[in-house]
Amino acid sequence: MDKFRMMFQFLQSNQESFMNGICGIMALASAQLYSAFEFSCPCIPEYNYAYGIGLLVIPPIWFFLLGFVLNNNVSMLAEEWKRPTGKRVKDPTILRYMFVSITQRSLIAPMVWISVTLMDGKSFLCAFSVNLDIRQFGNSTLIEVMTEVEIVKLLAKIPCKNIFDQPEVISREAASRYIKCISQAFGWVFLLLMTLAAFMIRAIRPCFTQAAFLKTKYWSHYVDIERKLFDETCKEHAKTFAKVCIQQYFESISGDMRSFHKHRSSKDDSDDDDDDKKKSDEDKLLGIRDQDDMNKVLWNWHTCKPPLALRKEHPDGESHEGLIPNGDVSGGPNGYANRHAPDLPKREWAVYYSKV
């Protein structure tokens, strides 16, 4: 279990590498699925085109949607898009960057499927065998005595070796090689176009808008990290809340027994340990100790996220909100508003004198 937990934490911390690995696995799975798929062309003029094109188009659409389902950033993108504006303005460029990043990864497996299908040529042969010019590969004397319906039915049987029963009319091997050659040409053109498009997106775009690209990339990473940290904080708070709630329940049930144990000699050490644990639990609760308060915090986080402007803190933990820079806003000297210094907490000093 420890090894699986470490692996899960590693995948969570390296989500980009994890998603790239998922895309690679999906690409290999698409190629393996095609090789294991039993291709069975119906060899009927009315269904050949639908079957061949459906095999070329429908599985890539399924792989594309599966890529969106397996990507964890989809829910984050939808949440960021639908959330109320509140105190934080939504940036369309960040949403567009996240959507493009998800789409790029989801397109890998469909591209592999289309490439493998075109290189193999079976679906292309099944879809377009009816459109072949039979006079280029057949016996013209026998073709002239055939009707148009018979010619169409004969061409539809070219993908099916077992049921092709008129080899004297048309050379099935030559026709199949011709159509598969065209399919492989389309496959190489498709790979070339996809490679050029990926190069344009990955290499040329940052060169023209480097500053905007870095800004968009930074804030998209910020949204992802903020969501993870918020989830981790909620989990830690829920764990501590449950721990304190259970402890208080048992303390209330066994109050008499606990008061009896307090008078024993080991009272000091145990009390010190309990105080330390209670202080750590109080820190983890972050001052929220009621169900309604927690629900309000969660609701406010969704409806009105805090603005992206951090307050500068004093070394002693106090913020600079009472200070006015350069003292020119209200005319007060030393940068204080309304000529009054803020009420700073006073420190108490204890002095010890020794008679030695």
Side-chain angles (χ1 to χ4, degrees):
M1 289 298 295
D2 294 337
K3 293 182 179 179
F4 286 108
R5 189 181 297 108
M6 292 175 61
M7 185 180 299
F8 181 73
Q9 292 176 355
F10 173 78
L11 294 177
Q12 280 188 329
S13 60
N14 298 272
Q15 187 176 8
E16 185 173 359
S17 301
F18 174 65
M19 292 310 304
N20 292 335
I22 289 293
C23 294
I25 293 174
M26 288 181 58
L28 294 176
S30 63
Q32 187 66 24
L33 183 63
Y34 181 83
S35 63
F37 176 74
E38 185 178 356
F39 184 85
S40 299
C41 185
C43 296
I44 302 175
E46 293 81 6
Y47 300 105
N48 277 18
Y49 182 81
Y51 182 83
I53 296 300
L55 186 66
L56 186 66
V57 174
I58 294 178
I61 296 176
W62 179 76
F63 277 113
F64 180 73
L65 296 177
L66 185 63
F68 271 82
V69 171
L70 296 178
N71 199 315
N72 296 328
N73 292 330
V74 174
S75 59
M76 181 179 63
L77 174 63
E79 179 183 346
E80 185 67 17
W81 178 46
K82 294 296 293 183
R83 71 170 177 84
T85 303
K87 297 181 180 179
R88 185 183 301 180
V89 180
K90 290 186 286 188
D91 193 351
T93 57
I94 298 176
L95 300 177
R96 185 165 55 250
Y97 174 84
M98 295 168 63
F99 178 77
V100 171
S101 178
I102 296 172
T103 305
Q104 288 177 357
R105 291 188 174 94
S106 300
L107 283 174
I108 296 177
M111 288 173 54
V112 173
W113 177 273
I114 295 175
S115 302
V116 173
T117 305
L118 290 176
M119 291 298 180
D120 186 62
K122 291 180 181 179
S123 65
F124 199 86
L125 176 62
C126 181
F128 297 101
S129 62
V130 181
N131 300 326
L132 186 66
D133 187 4
I134 192 173
R135 292 173 179 81
Q136 295 181 358
F137 306 96
N139 190 343
S140 58
T141 57
L142 297 177
I143 294 173
E144 290 177 355
V145 298
M146 297 177 63
T147 63
E148 189 68 25
V149 177
E150 292 176 345
I151 292 175
V152 171
K153 290 183 177 179
L154 180 62
L155 291 175
K157 295 179 181 179
I158 291 177
C160 305
K161 183 178 180 180
N162 297 329
I163 64 175
F164 187 77
D165 53 358
Q166 292 179 329
E168 68 279 359
V169 178
I170 184 174
S171 175
R172 177 188 174 278
E173 186 68 22
S176 300
R177 286 178 178 270
Y178 175 75
I179 296 178
K180 287 184 177 180
C181 179
I182 297 177
S183 177
Q184 291 176 0
F186 276 111
W188 284 111
V189 171
F190 176 78
L191 284 177
L192 179 61
L193 292 177
M194 292 298 102
T195 305
L196 288 176
F199 173 77
M200 296 286 289
I201 294 173
R202 301 286 292 182
I204 298 181
R205 183 185 63 178
C207 297
F208 288 100
T209 57
Q210 183 66 19
F213 176 75
L214 291 176
K215 182 192 74 172
T216 306
K217 187 176 181 180
Y218 173 86
W219 288 113
S220 64
H221 289 171
Y222 171 83
V223 172
D224 185 21
I225 294 173
E226 182 189 56
R227 186 190 183 194
K228 291 178 181 178
L229 292 178
F230 183 78
D231 292 341
E232 292 176 0
T233 305
C234 289
K235 289 179 181 178
E236 188 67 25
H237 186 276
K239 182 179 178 181
T240 307
F241 192 91
K243 179 182 176 182
V244 174
C245 184
I246 293 172
Q247 287 177 350
Q248 292 181 356
Y249 170 75
F250 278 98
E251 288 175 0
S252 62
I253 294 298
S254 59
D256 296 336
M257 187 177 295
R258 186 174 180 84
S259 61
F260 171 75
H261 286 293
K262 284 184 178 180
H263 295 286
R264 301 182 63 177
S265 59
S266 58
K267 173 184 176 183
D268 296 336
D269 296 336
S270 60
D271 286 349
D272 292 339
D273 296 338
D274 292 341
D275 291 340
D276 294 337
K277 291 181 180 180
K278 287 182 179 180
K279 288 181 180 179
S280 62
D281 291 339
E282 288 292 337
D283 294 338
K284 293 179 181 179
L285 286 175
L286 302 174
I288 302 173
R289 305 175 59 86
D290 187 75
Q291 181 180 4
D292 295 335
D293 294 340
M294 192 63 207
N295 292 336
K296 185 177 180 181
V297 168
L298 297 175
W299 176 258
N300 290 339
W301 177 261
H302 171 70
T303 58
C304 187
K305 287 189 176 181
L308 298 176
L310 304 180
R311 298 187 302 270
K312 191 173 181 180
E313 301 287 341
H314 275 301
D316 56 356
E318 296 294 329
S319 63
H320 282 284
E321 294 178 349
L323 293 177
I324 307 298
N326 299 327
D328 55 357
V329 174
S330 58
N334 301 324
Y336 292 118
N338 299 325
R339 299 180 181 268
H340 294 286
D343 295 333
L344 299 177
K346 297 182 180 180
R347 298 181 179 179
E348 296 181 358
W349 297 88
V351 182
Y352 297 92
Y353 295 95
S354 174
K355 297 182 180 180
V356 179

